[in-house]
Amino acid sequence: MRYSPEHKQETKSKIVAAAGRVFREEGYGGGGIEALTKAAGVTNGAFYGHFKSKSEAFRIAVLSGLEELRQGIAALKGNDQTNWLTTFVGFYLGYKRTCDLGESCALPSLSTDVMRADDDTRAAYTAELMRLVDEVAAGLPDNDAPGTPVGSQKDQAIVLLAMLSGGVTLARAVSDRELSDRIARLVAQAALRLTGQKALDSAHSSSADH
Protein backbone atom coordinates (compact mmCIF):
# COMPACT_ATOMS: atom_id res chain seq x y z
CA MET A 1 0.00 0.00 0.00
CA ARG A 2 1.39 3.39 -0.99
CA TYR A 3 0.93 6.33 1.33
CA SER A 4 0.63 9.92 0.18
CA PRO A 5 3.48 12.37 0.86
CA GLU A 6 1.15 14.16 3.29
CA HIS A 7 0.56 10.95 5.24
CA LYS A 8 4.29 10.22 5.36
CA GLN A 9 5.05 13.72 6.61
CA GLU A 10 2.32 13.47 9.23
CA THR A 11 3.74 10.16 10.46
CA LYS A 12 7.24 11.60 10.64
CA SER A 13 5.98 14.64 12.56
CA LYS A 14 4.20 12.35 15.03
CA ILE A 15 7.39 10.38 15.61
CA VAL A 16 9.47 13.53 16.09
CA ALA A 17 6.97 14.98 18.56
CA ALA A 18 6.78 11.70 20.47
CA ALA A 19 10.56 11.35 20.48
CA GLY A 20 10.88 14.85 21.90
CA ARG A 21 8.54 13.98 24.77
CA VAL A 22 10.16 10.60 25.49
CA PHE A 23 13.73 11.89 25.42
CA ARG A 24 12.79 14.81 27.68
CA GLU A 25 11.17 12.46 30.18
CA GLU A 26 13.49 9.46 30.01
CA GLY A 27 16.75 10.81 28.60
CA TYR A 28 18.46 9.33 25.58
CA GLY A 29 19.45 6.18 27.45
CA GLY A 30 15.97 5.58 28.81
CA GLY A 31 14.04 6.06 25.60
CA GLY A 32 14.33 3.05 23.30
CA ILE A 33 12.75 2.44 19.90
CA GLU A 34 9.82 0.61 21.47
CA ALA A 35 9.06 3.56 23.75
CA LEU A 36 9.25 5.96 20.81
CA THR A 37 6.95 3.94 18.55
CA LYS A 38 4.46 3.35 21.37
CA ALA A 39 4.34 7.06 22.20
CA ALA A 40 3.87 7.94 18.53
CA GLY A 41 1.33 5.18 17.91
CA VAL A 42 3.28 3.73 14.98
CA THR A 43 4.96 0.44 14.14
CA ASN A 44 8.69 -0.25 14.15
CA GLY A 45 8.49 -0.44 10.36
CA ALA A 46 7.03 3.05 10.20
CA PHE A 47 9.81 4.32 12.45
CA TYR A 48 12.57 2.85 10.31
CA GLY A 49 10.84 4.15 7.24
CA HIS A 50 11.76 7.66 8.42
CA PHE A 51 14.84 7.22 10.63
CA LYS A 52 17.86 5.00 10.32
CA SER A 53 18.45 4.81 14.07
CA LYS A 54 17.47 6.10 17.49
CA SER A 55 20.37 8.55 17.36
CA GLU A 56 18.99 10.09 14.17
CA ALA A 57 15.54 10.45 15.75
CA PHE A 58 17.16 12.06 18.78
CA ARG A 59 19.03 14.54 16.59
CA ILE A 60 15.88 15.55 14.74
CA ALA A 61 13.93 15.84 18.01
CA VAL A 62 16.60 18.13 19.47
CA LEU A 63 16.68 20.34 16.39
CA SER A 64 12.89 20.47 16.33
CA GLY A 65 12.84 21.54 19.97
CA LEU A 66 15.36 24.33 19.44
CA GLU A 67 13.50 25.51 16.35
CA GLU A 68 10.27 25.60 18.35
CA LEU A 69 11.99 27.82 20.91
CA ARG A 70 13.38 30.09 18.19
CA GLN A 71 9.98 30.46 16.55
CA GLY A 72 8.37 31.22 19.90
CA ILE A 73 10.87 34.01 20.52
CA ALA A 74 10.33 35.38 17.02
CA ALA A 75 6.58 35.44 17.62
CA LEU A 76 7.00 37.28 20.92
CA LYS A 77 9.19 39.88 19.27
CA GLY A 78 6.67 40.31 16.50
CA ASN A 79 3.86 40.90 18.99
CA ASP A 80 5.71 43.29 21.30
CA GLN A 81 9.18 44.50 20.37
CA THR A 82 9.49 46.56 23.56
CA ASN A 83 8.52 44.10 26.28
CA TRP A 84 9.04 40.71 24.60
CA LEU A 85 12.05 39.83 26.75
CA THR A 86 10.27 40.44 30.04
CA THR A 87 7.39 38.30 28.82
CA PHE A 88 9.76 35.58 27.62
CA VAL A 89 11.76 35.45 30.87
CA GLY A 90 8.57 35.25 32.92
CA PHE A 91 7.17 32.46 30.76
CA TYR A 92 10.43 30.53 30.59
CA LEU A 93 11.09 30.60 34.32
CA GLY A 94 7.40 30.21 35.11
CA TYR A 95 5.39 27.81 32.99
CA LYS A 96 8.35 26.20 31.22
CA ARG A 97 9.92 25.50 34.61
CA THR A 98 6.82 23.90 36.12
CA CYS A 99 5.13 22.14 33.20
CA ASP A 100 5.40 18.38 32.69
CA LEU A 101 8.94 17.38 31.79
CA GLY A 102 7.74 16.00 28.47
CA GLU A 103 6.58 19.50 27.48
CA SER A 104 9.65 21.30 28.80
CA CYS A 105 12.11 23.29 26.70
CA ALA A 106 14.62 21.26 24.71
CA LEU A 107 17.51 23.54 25.65
CA PRO A 108 17.81 22.50 29.31
CA SER A 109 16.15 19.09 28.93
CA LEU A 110 18.13 17.65 26.02
CA SER A 111 21.46 19.47 26.00
CA THR A 112 23.05 17.15 28.56
CA ASP A 113 22.40 14.17 26.26
CA VAL A 114 23.76 16.13 23.29
CA MET A 115 27.08 16.38 25.15
CA ARG A 116 27.36 12.59 24.89
CA ALA A 117 25.99 12.34 21.35
CA ASP A 118 27.81 11.66 18.08
CA ASP A 119 29.67 14.36 16.16
CA ASP A 120 26.88 14.85 13.61
CA THR A 121 24.35 15.55 16.34
CA ARG A 122 26.65 17.96 18.15
CA ALA A 123 27.44 19.81 14.91
CA ALA A 124 23.75 20.12 14.04
CA TYR A 125 22.98 21.26 17.59
CA THR A 126 25.71 23.89 17.38
CA ALA A 127 24.35 25.32 14.15
CA GLU A 128 20.77 25.41 15.49
CA LEU A 129 21.90 26.96 18.77
CA MET A 130 23.63 29.78 16.90
CA ARG A 131 20.42 30.43 14.93
CA LEU A 132 18.67 30.72 18.28
CA VAL A 133 21.37 33.07 19.58
CA ASP A 134 21.00 35.26 16.49
CA GLU A 135 17.22 35.39 16.97
CA VAL A 136 17.56 36.52 20.57
CA ALA A 137 20.38 38.95 19.77
CA ALA A 138 18.29 40.67 17.09
CA GLY A 139 15.78 41.68 19.76
CA LEU A 140 18.25 43.05 22.31
CA PRO A 141 19.34 46.68 22.75
CA ASP A 142 22.71 47.74 21.35
CA ASN A 143 25.04 47.82 24.35
CA ASP A 144 28.39 47.88 22.61
CA ALA A 145 29.62 50.78 24.72
CA PRO A 146 32.92 50.18 26.57
CA GLY A 147 32.47 49.17 30.18
CA THR A 148 29.22 47.27 29.80
CA PRO A 149 29.30 43.87 31.57
CA VAL A 150 28.48 42.00 28.37
CA GLY A 151 29.09 43.97 25.19
CA SER A 152 27.54 42.81 21.94
CA GLN A 153 23.98 41.64 21.50
CA LYS A 154 25.24 38.19 20.50
CA ASP A 155 27.32 37.93 23.68
CA GLN A 156 24.29 39.01 25.71
CA ALA A 157 22.14 36.44 23.96
CA ILE A 158 24.60 33.63 24.73
CA VAL A 159 24.77 34.57 28.40
CA LEU A 160 21.01 35.05 28.60
CA LEU A 161 20.23 31.61 27.17
CA ALA A 162 22.84 29.99 29.42
CA MET A 163 21.36 31.71 32.48
CA LEU A 164 17.79 30.76 31.65
CA SER A 165 18.48 27.14 30.72
CA GLY A 166 20.80 26.69 33.71
CA GLY A 167 18.28 28.31 36.01
CA VAL A 168 15.49 26.03 34.81
CA THR A 169 17.75 22.99 35.23
CA LEU A 170 18.56 23.83 38.86
CA ALA A 171 15.00 24.88 39.67
CA ARG A 172 13.60 21.61 38.27
CA ALA A 173 16.21 19.48 40.02
CA VAL A 174 15.57 20.63 43.59
CA SER A 175 12.80 19.03 45.64
CA ASP A 176 12.00 22.19 47.60
CA ARG A 177 9.31 24.26 45.83
CA GLU A 178 10.26 27.40 47.73
CA LEU A 179 13.90 27.04 46.66
CA SER A 180 12.82 26.39 43.08
CA ASP A 181 10.79 29.61 43.09
CA ARG A 182 13.72 31.48 44.61
CA ILE A 183 16.12 30.24 41.93
CA ALA A 184 13.68 31.26 39.21
CA ARG A 185 13.15 34.71 40.72
CA LEU A 186 16.87 35.43 41.12
CA VAL A 187 17.75 34.19 37.64
CA ALA A 188 14.93 36.24 36.11
CA GLN A 189 16.15 39.39 37.84
CA ALA A 190 19.76 38.77 36.77
CA ALA A 191 18.75 37.99 33.19
CA LEU A 192 16.81 41.23 32.82
CA ARG A 193 19.55 43.31 34.48
CA LEU A 194 22.03 41.80 32.05
CA THR A 195 20.12 43.22 29.10
CA GLY A 196 19.12 46.49 30.72
CA GLN A 197 15.47 45.53 31.11
CA LYS A 198 13.26 46.35 34.07
CA ALA A 199 13.30 43.49 36.56
CA LEU A 200 10.16 41.44 37.00
CA ASP A 201 8.08 42.71 39.91
CA SER A 202 6.94 40.27 42.58
CA ALA A 203 3.40 40.08 41.23
CA HIS A 204 4.59 39.31 37.71
CA SER A 205 7.11 36.68 38.78
CA SER A 206 4.60 35.05 41.12
CA SER A 207 1.93 34.79 38.44
CA ALA A 208 4.47 33.43 35.96
CA ASP A 209 5.21 30.53 38.28
CA HIS A 210 1.73 29.06 37.91
Side-chain angles (χ1 to χ4, degrees):
M1 178 178 179
R2 289 182 175 272
Y3 291 106
S4 68
E6 292 78 11
H7 181 273
K8 291 180 180 179
Q9 183 57 47
E10 181 181 346
T11 300
K12 183 176 182 179
S13 297
K14 285 173 59 177
I15 296 172
V16 171
R21 292 192 301 272
V22 170
F23 288 132
R24 284 168 171 83
E25 292 171 349
E26 306 292 340
Y28 181 79
I33 299 296
E34 183 176 351
L36 300 183
T37 56
K38 183 178 179 180
V42 300
T43 64
N44 280 16
F47 176 87
Y48 285 110
H50 294 281
F51 302 101
K52 296 177 181 178
S53 63
K54 184 177 85 167
S55 62
E56 183 181 9
F58 173 71
R59 178 165 64 250
I60 299 302
V62 170
L63 299 182
S64 177
L66 294 183
E67 173 63 8
E68 180 182 348
L69 175 58
R70 190 191 68 79
Q71 290 182 357
I73 290 172
L76 281 177
K77 291 193 308 182
N79 291 333
D80 187 352
Q81 293 184 356
T82 302
N83 299 309
W84 76 269
L85 184 58
T86 301
T87 301
F88 173 60
V89 169
F91 175 75
Y92 201 87
L93 290 166
Y95 174 76
K96 277 298 183 181
R97 170 177 62 95
T98 58
C99 65
D100 290 340
L101 193 56
E103 301 301 322
S104 62
C105 177
L107 193 59
S109 300
L110 300 180
S111 292
T112 52
D113 281 318
V114 174
M115 290 191 298
R116 304 176 182 88
D118 56 71
D119 290 343
D120 288 344
T121 297
R122 294 183 65 197
Y125 172 92
T126 300
E128 197 63 39
L129 178 64
M130 293 314 299
R131 290 185 69 215
L132 177 59
V133 167
D134 289 340
E135 188 69 61
V136 173
L140 297 179
D142 185 358
N143 287 334
D144 288 336
T148 54
V150 181
S152 71
Q153 290 110 316
K154 184 169 287 190
D155 286 348
Q156 288 183 29
I158 290 171
V159 176
L160 177 68
L161 290 171
M163 290 174 68
L164 294 179
S165 61
V168 167
T169 299
L170 292 181
R172 276 191 175 275
V174 299
S175 60
D176 185 327
R177 173 60 187 270
E178 184 177 345
L179 176 57
S180 179
D181 290 347
R182 183 180 182 184
I183 291 170
R185 183 178 67 254
L186 293 173
V187 171
Q189 292 170 352
L192 293 174
R193 282 198 301 269
L194 168 76
T195 55
Q197 305 294 306
K198 183 178 179 181
L200 292 169
D201 58 36
S202 58
H204 189 147
S205 60
S206 175
S207 64
D209 289 342
H210 302 287

